[in-house]
């Protein structure tokens, strides 16, 4: 039997923390930054955490389930 491959795009976008949560980088921080407030840009620096509605799907992409 061949090995089952991890989804290549998912392994670049998501990281599993020590506590088992899945984190990702937030969108909208690449360009056109002068119209966005400092508060908004500061909030976009933090990692996002995959919510419970999508967690099973992302875990399947990463072959963790």
């Amino acid at each position: 039997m061949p090995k089952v491959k991890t989804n290549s795009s998912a392994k670049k976008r998501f990281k599993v923390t020590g506590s088992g949560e899945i984190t990702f980088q937030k969108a909208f921080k690449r360009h056109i930054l002068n119209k966005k407030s400092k508060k908004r840009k500061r909030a976009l620096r933090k990692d996002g955490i995959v919510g419970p509605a999508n967690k099973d799907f992302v875990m399947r992409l990463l072959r963790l389930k």
Side-chain angles (χ1 to χ4, degrees), residues 14-52:
F14 300 105
K15 187 193 289 187
V16 182
T17 63
S19 61
E21 291 180 322
I22 301 171
T23 60
F24 62 92
Q25 283 288 300
K26 292 182 180 173
F28 307 111
K29 186 76 170 50
R30 297 289 180 200
H31 61 105
I32 316 175
L33 299 174
N34 53 355
K35 65 173 76 168
K36 295 171 187 151
S37 68
K38 284 186 179 183
K39 182 179 179 180
R40 184 175 167 192
K41 289 185 279 192
R42 195 164 53 241
L44 290 171
R45 281 184 216 149
K46 296 183 178 178
D47 286 348
I49 297 171
V50 175

